[in-house]
Amino acid sequence: MTRPRRAVVRALASRAGHVHAEEILTEVARIDPSVHRASVYRTLEALCAVGVLQHVHLGHGATAYHLRLDGRDHLHVQCHRCTTVIDLPVELLDEVASWLSRHHGFTLDAGHVALSGTCTRCATAGDEDR
Amino acid sequence: MTRPRRAVVRALASRAGHVHAEEILTEVARIDPSVHRASVYRTLEALCAVGVLQHVHLGHGATAYHLRLDGRDHLHVQCHRCTTVIDLPVELLDEVASWLSRHHGFTLDAGHVALSGTCTRCATAGDEDR
DNA sequence: ATATGTGCAAACATTTTGCACGGCT
DNA sequence: AGCCGTGCAAAATGTTTGCACATAT
């Protein structure tokens, strides 16, 4: 366990659930400014390879990461207006997954991308606080 | 209808279904090399605003576009290995949409991001043709 | 005439890469 | 000695922006 890796893990732990790559970068810089961006990315990749971390694509090109210490996937849904992400159980897409499997032989990786939509607050809110 | 816009529309029409932003750029360059990248992006944005075009986020940061001349959304599922995209009817996520609406007041925009997974070919194939 | 669209270059944001160096085993 | 991880700088990628000029209506 090296210095940069410790910092990355601490940064991941500092927030529950998903963390934007950008937030990790910032948090690591705060914890240990000597750690380079590239090392952060390399560490994240390594953690994903090992399986304790899941990376999630949020619609707008941003990438987020999600610890999965229990080995289970999560589902994500993001509001495209306020960018808030809601975590959901994978089971929600089980039916869709089996449909895809039956009709297209396609294996769904439900947690890999976040679904998109609009949350209550943003649907209710007008244009005022954009 | 200006020169760049004509070129963009022709590029979009040249392929059925979804088109990667990159493919549009290339195709437009072939049709009319005098058209600048920035104009292509601006035109795509304008078409989306008007509603005849839908932009879709494919997991790996790439953006694609999909004509919706009939005003209906499509669903997309992408194989993260070979990047192939399958188009599907929106209805597939209707149940999920209403669940989200009921439990989180969340309005799903099913077509906005492509679901991710592995297609038959890639699941069957070993590592040979990566 | 006025509003809109355009080419250009440059900025931008994010992630990846080649490289030489460092420490541990 | 050998391997892996590191910092650094630079490249790669994909998209956006400020600006002055051109074009459409």
Side-chain angles (χ1 to χ4, degrees):
Chain A
M1 176 66 87
T2 61
R3 182 172 258 278
R5 299 198 163 177
R6 200 183 320 272
V8 170
V9 171
R10 284 183 50 198
L12 285 169
S14 77
R15 279 179 180 70
H18 59 276
V19 197
H20 288 253
E22 176 212 345
E23 292 178 315
I24 300 175
L25 256 9
T26 311
E27 184 64 13
V28 167
R30 214 178 51 71
I31 294 173
D32 184 344
S34 73
V35 173
H36 198 267
R37 285 196 306 281
S39 297
V40 176
Y41 282 111
R42 285 187 279 230
T43 300
L44 290 172
E45 194 190 343
L47 291 173
C48 285
V50 167
V52 296
L53 192 63
Q54 145 181 228
H55 79 167
V56 183
H57 296 289
L58 305 178
H60 246 44
T63 304
Y65 293 84
H66 204 136
L67 282 171
R68 29 175 268 173
L69 300 170
D70 52 359
R72 295 172 43 75
D73 265 10
H74 314 265
L75 224 60
H76 304 88
V77 184
Q78 185 188 37
C79 174
H80 72 281
R81 172 102 175 273
C82 63
T83 74
T84 301
V85 175
I86 304 175
D87 290 1
L88 300 166
V90 245
E91 290 76 32
L92 188 57
L93 283 182
D94 278 356
E95 272 190 49
V96 175
S98 77
W99 189 92
L100 280 171
S101 168
R102 247 181 293 122
H103 293 259
H104 294 273
F106 197 96
T107 309
L108 185 64
D109 181 3
H112 191 215
V113 299
L115 294 170
S116 180
T118 315
C119 71
T120 321
R121 245 182 59 76
C122 287
T124 314
D127 301 311
E128 65 272 6
D129 47 23
R130 285 207 191 220
Chain B
M1 174 66 87
T2 61
R3 182 172 255 277
R5 300 198 162 177
R6 199 183 320 270
V8 169
V9 171
R10 284 183 51 198
L12 285 169
S14 77
R15 278 177 182 71
H18 60 275
V19 196
H20 289 252
E22 177 212 345
E23 292 179 316
I24 301 175
L25 255 10
T26 310
E27 184 64 14
V28 166
R30 215 178 50 71
I31 295 174
D32 183 343
S34 73
V35 173
H36 197 267
R37 284 196 307 280
S39 296
V40 176
Y41 282 112
R42 285 187 280 230
T43 300
L44 290 172
E45 195 191 342
L47 291 173
C48 285
V50 167
V52 298
L53 191 64
Q54 144 179 229
H55 80 165
V56 182
H57 297 289
L58 305 178
H60 245 43
T63 303
Y65 293 86
H66 204 136
L67 281 170
R68 32 174 265 171
L69 300 170
D70 53 0
R72 295 172 44 75
D73 265 10
H74 314 264
L75 223 61
H76 304 88
V77 184
Q78 184 187 38
C79 174
H80 72 283
R81 172 103 176 272
C82 64
T83 74
T84 301
V85 176
I86 304 176
D87 290 1
L88 300 166
V90 245
E91 290 77 31
L92 188 57
L93 283 182
D94 277 356
E95 272 189 50
V96 176
S98 76
W99 189 91
L100 280 171
S101 167
R102 246 180 295 123
H103 293 257
H104 294 273
F106 197 96
T107 310
L108 185 64
D109 181 3
H112 191 215
V113 299
L115 294 170
S116 180
T118 315
C119 70
T120 321
R121 245 181 58 78
C122 287
T124 314
D127 301 310
E128 66 270 8
D129 49 22
R130 282 205 197 222

